[in-house]
Structures are given as structure tokens and as C-alpha cells.
Amino acid sequence: VPIYNAENHLKNCIDSIIKQTFSDYDILLIDDGSIDRSYQIAQEYQKKYPDIITAMTHSNCGVAQTRNLGIQLARGKYVAFIDNDDTIREDYFEKLIYAAEANDAEIAACGFDRVNSQGEVLYSRRLGFHTTEKERWALWRISAPWAKVYSRDFLVNNQILFYDSKMGEDIYFNIIAFSLCNKYVTINYSGYNYLDNTLSVSNTFQTMESDQASPCPMLMDGFRKICVIGKNRIQYVEYFYIRYI
């Protein structure tokens, strides 16, 4: 969980992870130099759940480097990313990890619900059930790193990292991951609650393109890396880029 000035929503996020029906996991709460009480809240949870929660902080460097640190420090077979103002359903890990294990998949993905601060569902996005052999397009429909679990060995062995950018760091990450994965599975289930938070970074900073916040370097570097990889998946990258633009 990358954390930045999330004191109003962080407890809901952490509580939803603690309530999981799947029990074999660690929680890394990594604070990115917050100036509110976020890190203090993370420390309180670490004291209460020392066996599963690790809280840490560093000077502000952005969500990309914070997530990359999470990949480096993770000890589990799978890595999941959850934004600090979002929540997950109680069976989220159970369903995604079962799907990954049953299909020997490097990535397992599901749909999400867009919710307001009262927990009411504004709309849902579902992917249906698909494997590599059935429909590869399904994986590319949700570009966020959440609503997925990734094999940690797959990420580490292929040096798949978030792009150090103010815009599109997650898109770069998934372009490379989706292009390199040999097998994935998507399930017909919406287990991630994506908060409609008008004050979040993605809903404020990223709404206006500028020289300091342009997606173009990320898109160009991602395309170059795909060409070096040599995977025959350029058509999916083109679809992804066109939809994003």
C-alpha cells in the first residue's frame, strides 16, 4: 500500500485487508513523505498487528518508486497493489490467488466497483473469465496495477518496474508485464472498490497534460522496451495506446 496524505481513508483501506478470508499474507504500508497523520496511523496498525504489518516511511519520491520498493521488500509468492484510499472485498485475495494457482498464471485480474465515500457503487467494470487461449484482450482493459495479483518471481526476474514519472507510471508497468507474461487469467468478479476521490493524485494532478506531466516519454519508452523484448504483441500495445490517448 503506497501512502501519501491519506489520513481520511487509510484506516478503511487497511481494515479491508485485515478482514481477508485468505490468511497467509503480509501488508507493507509504505509512506511517501506524508505531511498529515498517515504514517502515524500506519505505525498504530503495525503495533496492533506486528505479525503481518510492516510500516515504514521515506522522503517524498512519488508512487512509482514507492511501489518499486514494495516489490523489492515483498516476501510472498504474489504481489498485490492497493491504493491508500481504496478497499477490497473480504474474498479478494482468496479468489485472485486461487485463479492464479489453478491456471498456473503469472497475473490474475478481476473487475472493480467505482464507489463513493458512502460505499455506494457508482458503476462496475467486469472482465469475465478468460485465459490466454480464450481472449488475450481482456487483460488490457484495466490498466491500473490494482484489481490484480502478480507473481513476484515474474516481476523480479523480468525487472518489471513502475516508470518514474508523474503521469502513467502504472500504464508503463502493465504494458511491460502484459507483454511478457506467458499465461494470465481474468475472472468474472469485482472485488476491488475504487473510491471516487476528487482529491486523489490521479484525479487532480493527472487531469492536465504539461511539460512537467506528460505521458509521452512514458509511452515512447514503453514502446521501445516492447520492441526490444520482441514479443509478437504490438497489436495489443497499439490498442492500449490509442485507448489511453
Side-chain angles (χ1 to χ4, degrees):
V1 182
I3 300 168
Y4 183 69
N5 292 349
E7 63 179 2
N8 293 331
H9 303 287
L10 185 57
K11 289 183 179 181
N12 289 338
C13 174
I14 301 172
D15 286 343
S16 74
I17 305 174
I18 292 170
K19 294 175 182 176
Q20 289 299 293
T21 54
F22 184 88
S23 60
D24 187 14
Y25 63 91
D26 296 323
I27 305 173
L28 296 174
L29 304 176
I30 307 180
D31 178 70
D32 185 31
S34 295
I35 58 175
D36 64 2
R37 291 193 65 257
S38 292
Y39 183 52
Q40 286 80 1
I41 293 171
Q43 287 180 305
E44 290 168 6
Y45 273 90
Q46 179 179 247
K47 290 178 182 177
K48 191 174 181 180
Y49 302 96
D51 294 336
I52 62 170
I53 292 181
T54 300
M56 64 189 72
T57 188
H58 56 211
S59 58
N60 181 255
C61 60
V63 68
Q65 292 189 40
T66 303
R67 288 194 185 122
N68 288 339
L69 178 60
I71 296 172
Q72 176 185 334
L73 297 176
R75 299 182 300 169
K77 183 176 180 179
Y78 297 97
V79 175
F81 303 98
I82 300 171
D83 284 355
N84 59 198
D85 50 359
D86 297 336
T87 59
I88 53 177
R89 292 190 181 181
E90 292 184 1
D91 56 354
Y92 178 77
F93 289 158
E94 182 180 353
K95 285 190 177 292
L96 283 172
I97 292 173
Y98 174 81
E101 291 285 299
N103 292 276
D104 193 25
E106 293 150 326
I107 303 173
C110 69
F112 69 91
D113 290 336
R114 184 69 154 164
V115 300
N116 61 22
S117 57
Q118 287 75 46
E120 299 168 333
V121 177
L122 304 178
Y123 61 85
S124 297
R125 292 287 182 271
R126 288 181 177 252
L127 298 177
F129 179 79
H130 302 290
T131 63
T132 305
E133 293 75 21
K134 291 184 178 180
E135 190 200 357
R136 176 165 292 278
W137 295 99
L139 190 63
W140 298 74
R141 292 184 182 139
I142 298 176
S143 58
W146 40 257
K148 301 171 185 68
V149 295
Y150 303 82
S151 160
R152 183 179 180 274
D153 284 347
F154 166 67
L155 297 180
V156 172
N157 294 340
N158 290 284
Q159 297 181 323
I160 302 172
L161 297 170
F162 289 89
Y163 192 77
D164 191 7
S165 168
K166 295 182 183 298
M167 183 179 288
E169 82 292 332
D170 49 353
I171 290 174
Y172 177 91
F173 177 85
N174 276 327
I175 287 172
I176 307 305
F178 297 170
S179 297
L180 279 173
C181 76
N182 293 309
K183 192 164 187 182
Y184 79 91
V185 61
T186 62
I187 56 176
N188 186 25
Y189 162 77
S190 295
Y192 192 93
N193 299 314
Y194 175 31
L195 181 65
D196 186 25
N197 181 7
T198 57
L199 298 178
S200 70
V201 173
S202 61
N203 284 328
T204 54
F205 183 81
Q206 295 190 20
T207 55
M208 185 177 298
E209 197 269 352
S210 68
D211 290 341
Q212 290 75 35
S214 170
C216 294
M218 174 275 296
L219 293 171
M220 291 299 294
D221 286 352
F223 191 78
R224 290 188 193 101
K225 185 155 187 174
I226 294 299
C227 292
V228 171
I229 291 170
K231 292 285 185 179
N232 187 26
R233 294 175 183 170
I234 294 298
Q235 59 180 324
Y236 306 106
V237 178
E238 289 176 345
Y239 156 79
F240 205 64
Y241 277 29
I242 292 169
R243 194 194 67 174
Y244 178 72
I245 292 168

